[in-house]
Amino acid sequence: NTLGLVYMELREDDKARASFERALKIDPNDSDTNNNYGLFLCDRKREKDSIRYFLAALKNPLYTTPQDAFVNAGICSRRAGDSVAAQSYFERALAVAPTDERAMISLAQLHFGQRQYNLAKTYLTRYMQRVQNADASSLWLGARIENQRGDRTALMSYGSQLKSRHPESPETKAFL
């Protein structure tokens, strides 16, 4: 599993695939290996294939971080164009880990893309309450949500934060 992760980072895909498959032959129920192999497949544009490994990771009742597999399944489902499944996975991640920041921001992005701006704002607000320093992409998302909602005060607040915290970011340039 660890070798698979290293090879994955080095973009030595054949070695990464072989390492993950070897680890799964040794222990097909290892949740971490299933999750990591799923992530590898998703990152290599095999989103639909990846879901089966995330679900295999979740079969283990002793898996200590099931929210990771749910969020990864959600991200890969969204990349594959299945926003219904993505939403379900993100919501399931929050059901087991109500403070999971990746699930919150992913739901905010998903609802924004579906033009459900109030729901997007709800999840983004929860996310912002959890993070110390919001990154440029989440502030930009907030600005776009508030622009769609017609809240100029909130829009300008997000813009001000973008300009002061991330003055050189592409998101700030887009805002300006």
Side-chain angles (χ1 to χ4, degrees), residues 60-130:
N60 180 352
L62 301 177
Y63 188 28
T64 58
T65 57
Q67 67 274 16
D68 291 344
F70 280 127
V71 169
N72 290 337
I75 290 168
C76 295
S77 293
R78 186 173 60 200
R79 286 183 191 167
D82 190 348
S83 60
V84 173
Q87 181 176 339
S88 174
Y89 289 128
F90 294 140
E91 288 171 348
R92 290 169 74 186
L94 287 178
V96 297
T99 59
D100 189 281
E101 295 165 8
R102 288 189 334 152
M104 288 180 217
I105 194 68
S106 295
L107 279 166
Q109 293 164 341
L110 186 74
H111 288 300
F112 178 78
Q114 295 172 336
R115 300 179 184 201
Q116 298 172 326
Y117 304 118
N118 289 332
L119 276 172
K121 178 182 175 146
T122 298
Y123 285 107
L124 183 64
T125 300
R126 285 178 61 188
Y127 170 80
M128 292 294 199
Q129 291 169 345
R130 297 279 316 152

Side-chain angles (χ1 to χ4, degrees), residues 27-96:
D27 184 359
N29 299 316
D30 183 87
S31 294
D32 290 326
T33 303
N34 275 294
N35 182 61
N36 292 337
Y37 190 38
L39 196 56
F40 167 78
L41 292 172
C42 183
D43 286 347
R44 300 312 189 263
K45 310 291 185 218
R46 292 181 53 198
E47 295 89 350
K48 291 182 181 178
D49 294 334
S50 71
I51 302 300
R52 109 174 209 225
Y53 291 95
F54 298 129
L55 296 178
L58 291 163
K59 287 181 182 176
N60 180 352
L62 301 177
Y63 188 28
T64 58
T65 57
Q67 67 274 16
D68 291 344
F70 280 127
V71 169
N72 290 337
I75 290 168
C76 295
S77 293
R78 186 173 60 200
R79 286 183 191 167
D82 190 348
S83 60
V84 173
Q87 181 176 339
S88 174
Y89 289 128
F90 294 140
E91 288 171 348
R92 290 169 74 186
L94 287 178
V96 297

Side-chain angles (χ1 to χ4, degrees), residues 135-148 151-176:
D135 63 6
S137 65
S138 60
L139 292 170
W140 175 232
L141 177 61
R144 292 180 296 149
I145 290 168
E146 297 306 347
N147 184 53
Q148 291 298 322
D151 187 336
R152 297 257 323 136
T153 303
L155 168 64
M156 297 315 288
S157 174
Y158 280 114
S160 175
Q161 291 176 68
L162 267 170
K163 290 187 283 187
S164 67
R165 295 180 188 175
H166 309 284
E168 301 300 319
S169 72
E171 292 86 353
T172 300
K173 290 176 180 153
F175 177 81
L176 295 172

